[in-house]
Amino acid sequence: MTQLDRLSVYHWLNAWCIKPVGGALVRQEPEYILLALMGSPLKKIMLCSSEKEIFSVEEQVMVQHSVIINNMIEDGSYNHEESKIPLDCVDSKTLKKVIDYCTHHTHHHNDNQEDLEAWDAQFLNVDSNGLYDLLMAANYLEIRNLLDLIYGTIKNMIKGKKIDEIRRIFNIKDHGFTPEEEEQNRKEYPHFY
Amino acid sequence: MGDALGSDLISDLPQSIVESILVRLPIRDAVKTSILSSKWRYKWASITQLVFDEKCVDSCSDRDVVEKSVVKFITRLLFLHQGPIHKFQITISYLQSCPEIDQWILFLSRNDIKELVLELGEGEFFRIPSCLFNCKKLSRLELFRCELDPPLSFKGFLCLRSLNLHQVLISPDAIEGLISNCPLLESLSLSYFDSLALSIRAPNLKYLYLEGEFRDICLDDTPLLVEISVAMYMTDDIAEHFEQSASCNFLKFLGGVPNLERLVGHIYFTKYLSIGNDPGCLPIIYKNLEIIELNQVSFEDMKEILVVLRLITSSPNLKELQISGSSNIPSATDAPDLDFWEKECSSKCRLSHLRVVQLTDMCGVPHEMELIKFLLASSPVLETMSIIPCVYVVESQLKMLTELVKFRRASAKAEIVFVRE
């Protein structure tokens, strides 16, 4: 590759797709690259996970869903040219999922209710640790609709179920009651067990 | 959250998250978590919303037993509860008035109650204890089948935004006082009051819903009203009163609501508005009124038709109009005064935003046809007009259609949908 070629590639990368930032390459979603190539520069912001991985997201997407990020952008504490938003309590895997959720809901908000619900159900098809991490992240970032979704899922794990079943679902191995207390409870509310 | 190798993550979640989950459960499931584990013993006890319905205790065939069971459940729950209670709702048809309810309300009045909904069973009306009037933070109050008697020293609920009284025994003075002493009141709903004459002063009121036999309603100070829905019933008593009344009901009711966006009337509402002297050309323009729905309009009563016309022509931004006729089979009438239409509807009248019109229970009487003619001629952006004829007049449907087809249409896009069963 000639000197000129490398320079023009660098410029192309810099302007449209991938920014080299402090040595790291900022990740881009394929759709954004396509849109960028089509000549539509979307305003992006950068989120940094606890593992110091940087994610670039459409500003509009995050501002629509996360109250915390919306406030940061509005009060001007985020400078587009340089800064990134550090999210020290969210790991990369979870952050990527959160971004997926927000992006899907922004781009597909006109879809019919059934399709959106099916996507949400698939989205939450994760193990217990994954659900916990998503809950903490959504709580921290104050993403109302994701929180409601997760609350609804957890609520359904409790509603109408027997105590033994709930203990199994949530891995409550030691109920912490004295044997007398547990026996008393079982006697008083037999239909709950 | 269940893996064989996983750990119990849920029991250590922050209390605010736990509460958000518990509050979404029916009260019975929420309280049940107290026997889940020792960590969970009191997590339910600080939820701030308590909603009790028919399902909160086991049902059984003996009504008395279930009632006692519910009373015991609620009393015990309140006793074990910790912290503020912001919302307390009872919707239980088998719960009758009983002394324990007084104690519950006393307890709530000491725990920052903000929203109180009480819907008890049919039977003796529950007499609301005076401690309710000490609930300084009350922002929403809904009472069904109760007796309300504010003490003389009562200065109002300063935080109340929403008031819904359904079949409540309260003196007219008390209710006027209650409304005007709640400065933040935004939403007011009064249903099934007997022969109420009422003057409403509520400078922040946005939503008004009335249903019942009202003798007289005057909206004295409600400049911010955005939505009004009235279902007015009639008794002989009230009908007589109407005959004698000279004041203009239209202006008393709709004269001071310039920001109105939606108006819905049922049964005798249009008749009520037509009583009294004709206001002539209205002094008020409803520039935000986009939806008008008037049901059971009598197209044989010129005064009612005039009310409808005045409303339509004073609403330059009207988008949607729904009118239903009263389904009386038209009697052999005297020649209807069709000149009236030429006088009242100038050909310059344009309803430049009217898109959707629905006319139901149409019998094909001359005034109905004139209204349709007027609407078609004055609505340049009309998209759909649905006409649903009254089921009793099968023969005149063809006649209606024949006339309809002749009418000029200002909108090239207008579709007329004539719905036949």
Side-chain angles (χ1 to χ4, degrees):
Chain A
M1 206 185 250
T2 66
Q3 189 83 334
L4 188 61
D5 281 352
R6 244 187 287 153
L7 199 57
S8 44
V9 166
Y10 179 88
H11 278 308
W12 177 82
L13 283 173
N14 203 28
W16 294 115
C17 297
I18 303 178
K19 237 189 204 16
V21 174
L25 278 183
V26 171
R27 192 169 303 214
Q28 286 278 3
E29 301 305 300
E31 310 100 285
Y32 301 148
I33 298 180
L34 198 58
L35 277 167
L37 286 174
M38 283 158 60
S40 143
L42 301 158
K43 207 160 173 203
K44 298 279 193 352
I45 55 173
M46 306 211 284
L47 306 178
C48 182
S49 74
S50 57
E51 292 150 326
K52 303 289 176 249
E53 204 178 330
I54 299 187
F55 293 81
S56 173
V57 194
E58 266 179 65
E59 174 180 313
Q60 187 213 149
V61 161
M62 289 319 291
V63 149
Q64 256 176 35
H65 286 94
S66 164
V67 173
I68 293 290
I69 293 185
N70 182 48
N71 291 347
M72 274 189 204
I73 307 264
E74 279 204 347
D75 71 19
S77 55
Y78 178 74
N79 175 335
H80 280 92
E81 293 312 315
E82 325 205 357
S83 51
K84 50 192 191 292
I85 300 180
L87 301 172
D88 291 331
C89 26
V90 188
D91 65 24
S92 295
K93 178 171 158 219
T94 312
L95 186 52
K96 177 160 200 316
K97 274 211 82 124
V98 168
I99 292 175
D100 268 346
Y101 177 87
C102 299
T103 311
H104 180 92
H105 276 261
T106 298
H107 292 164
H108 293 253
H109 73 272
N110 282 327
D111 281 11
N112 71 50
Q113 205 50 33
E114 277 167 25
D115 288 340
L116 282 174
E117 282 173 14
W119 191 92
D120 283 345
Q122 181 61 26
F123 176 80
L124 280 187
N125 192 10
V126 291
D127 67 11
S128 57
N129 286 307
L131 192 61
Y132 177 86
D133 290 335
L134 272 174
L135 175 56
M136 295 284 103
N139 186 46
Y140 175 69
L141 289 169
E142 286 183 48
I143 302 177
R144 183 84 260 147
N145 44 357
L146 180 55
L147 268 175
D148 284 343
L149 183 65
I150 300 176
Y151 288 150
T153 304
I154 300 178
K155 164 202 117 188
N156 287 332
M157 294 172 180
I158 300 177
K159 182 175 170 183
K161 301 222 163 41
K162 305 247 187 246
I163 294 290
D164 292 323
E165 216 182 321
I166 303 176
R167 282 175 180 166
R168 214 176 19 249
I169 294 176
F170 291 124
N171 268 312
I172 300 174
K173 299 197 183 73
D174 174 19
H175 53 67
F177 291 127
T178 66
E180 293 81 24
E181 280 173 333
E182 176 72 1
E183 198 191 312
Q184 177 68 19
N185 286 340
R186 281 184 191 263
K187 237 174 38 182
E188 217 178 316
Y189 309 106
H191 44 282
F192 282 151
Y193 286 88
Chain B
M1 279 186 156
D3 295 329
L5 301 172
S7 52
D8 169 17
L9 295 166
I10 195 177
S11 302
D12 293 319
L13 284 171
Q15 181 64 11
S16 60
I17 292 186
V18 168
E19 270 184 40
S20 302
I21 297 168
L22 289 177
V23 106
R24 284 165 166 76
L25 285 165
I27 190 76
R28 211 172 163 199
D29 287 276
V31 174
K32 190 174 78 187
T33 60
S34 61
I35 52 177
L36 196 55
S37 78
S38 56
K39 278 189 186 172
W40 278 86
R41 210 191 311 243
Y42 300 118
K43 284 192 197 274
W44 72 270
S46 50
I47 51 178
T48 56
Q49 293 188 26
L50 302 172
V51 176
F52 301 98
D53 59 15
E54 318 269 317
K55 298 200 217 82
C56 65
V57 293
D58 289 325
S59 62
C60 96
S61 50
D62 187 341
R63 231 181 120 108
D64 275 343
V65 166
V66 188
E67 201 181 333
K68 281 200 177 58
S69 172
V70 153
V71 171
K72 186 166 156 208
F73 177 69
I74 299 178
T75 306
R76 202 164 158 207
L77 192 152
L78 286 178
F79 202 24
L80 290 171
H81 189 274
Q82 289 174 310
I85 299 176
H86 291 153
K87 179 173 164 182
F88 186 87
Q89 175 171 332
I90 299 186
T91 317
I92 301 179
S93 62
Y94 50 76
L95 182 58
Q96 307 283 8
S97 168
C98 62
E100 281 85 353
I101 307 182
D102 285 53
Q103 292 167 11
W104 299 342
I105 298 186
L106 179 59
F107 182 86
L108 294 171
S109 69
R110 293 171 176 164
N111 279 288
D112 296 336
I113 185 80
K114 291 188 183 157
E115 284 182 50
L116 177 63
V117 176
L118 216 55
E119 188 177 342
L120 306 172
E122 309 265 349
E124 196 188 315
F125 280 19
F126 172 67
R127 200 183 149 74
I128 300 279
S130 55
C131 54
L132 176 74
F133 301 99
N134 293 333
C135 299
K136 304 239 177 299
K137 300 202 183 160
L138 203 60
S139 69
R140 178 174 157 228
L141 180 62
E142 267 187 50
L143 301 173
F144 289 65
R145 290 182 285 277
C146 299
E147 245 186 82
L148 200 54
D149 194 8
L152 288 167
S153 57
F154 179 57
K155 298 271 184 298
F157 292 116
L158 299 178
C159 302
L160 196 69
R161 285 180 195 274
S162 167
L163 180 63
N164 181 349
L165 302 176
H166 181 109
Q167 267 186 292
V168 169
L169 288 176
I170 178 172
S171 78
D173 286 337
I175 195 171
E176 270 186 30
L178 182 59
I179 296 171
S180 51
N181 285 333
C182 298
L184 296 185
L185 196 64
E186 277 178 18
S187 166
L188 174 64
S189 170
L190 301 174
S191 342
Y192 298 113
F193 284 73
D194 292 335
S195 292
L196 195 58
L198 196 57
S199 172
I200 298 181
R201 270 177 218 101
N204 280 309
L205 197 65
K206 294 211 182 103
Y207 309 101
L208 178 63
Y209 177 85
L210 299 172
E211 182 174 355
E213 298 159 3
F214 291 94
R215 182 187 291 274
D216 193 21
I217 316 172
C218 187
L219 298 183
D220 259 348
D221 180 14
T222 53
L224 299 184
L225 261 179
V226 149
E227 232 180 88
I228 296 180
S229 173
V230 180
M232 195 162 278
Y233 304 131
M234 191 83 81
T235 59
D236 292 333
D237 215 27
I238 297 186
E240 225 183 84
H241 170 82
F242 278 175
E243 302 303 312
Q244 296 156 8
S245 169
S247 55
C248 175
N249 279 1
F250 191 113
L251 284 181
K252 265 166 63 175
F253 197 84
L254 294 176
V257 292
N259 294 310
L260 197 59
E261 289 174 19
R262 190 190 156 109
L263 176 66
V264 177
H266 294 273
I267 316 172
Y268 286 108
F269 181 58
T270 320
K271 172 132 187 85
Y272 174 81
L273 287 180
S274 71
I275 303 289
N277 304 323
D278 179 15
C281 187
L282 287 184
I284 181 172
I285 295 284
Y286 304 106
K287 57 179 175 9
N288 295 336
L289 188 51
E290 295 190 356
I291 304 180
I292 295 180
E293 184 187 325
L294 294 170
N295 296 298
Q296 288 90 36
V297 175
S298 167
F299 278 92
E300 290 171 346
D301 180 348
M302 299 293 300
K303 296 188 80 178
E304 284 193 43
I305 302 172
L306 198 53
V307 162
V308 174
L309 266 181
R310 294 241 184 270
L311 268 171
I312 296 177
T313 53
S314 308
S315 312
N317 293 310
L318 187 62
K319 292 207 171 85
E320 216 179 288
L321 177 66
Q322 276 188 54
I323 300 190
S324 80
S326 48
S327 45
N328 296 318
I329 300 170
S331 48
T333 45
D334 333 295
D337 176 15
L338 293 176
D339 293 336
F340 151 84
W341 286 92
E342 282 176 32
K343 275 185 285 181
E344 292 298 336
C345 309
S346 88
S347 52
K348 291 199 219 86
C349 176
R350 275 169 75 83
L351 306 170
S352 1
H353 292 93
L354 187 59
R355 283 178 200 287
V356 176
V357 173
Q358 186 177 328
L359 304 166
T360 336
D361 277 332
M362 295 281 107
C363 301
V365 298
H367 286 301
E368 284 171 7
M369 302 313 293
E370 288 296 321
L371 177 66
I372 298 176
K373 185 170 166 190
F374 164 67
L375 288 172
L376 285 173
S378 327
S379 316
V381 298
L382 186 65
E383 287 170 14
T384 324
M385 177 183 283
S386 319
I387 302 181
I388 302 157
C390 167
V391 293
Y392 302 125
V393 286
V394 184
E395 318 81 48
S396 14
Q397 284 180 21
L398 192 54
K399 180 162 175 271
M400 273 173 82
L401 269 172
T402 324
E403 276 188 61
L404 261 179
V405 162
K406 286 194 275 189
F407 292 157
R408 284 221 173 93
R409 303 182 198 185
S411 162
K413 288 194 298 184
E415 269 184 26
I416 301 189
V417 179
F418 195 87
V419 179
R420 304 179 63 196
E421 292 305 309

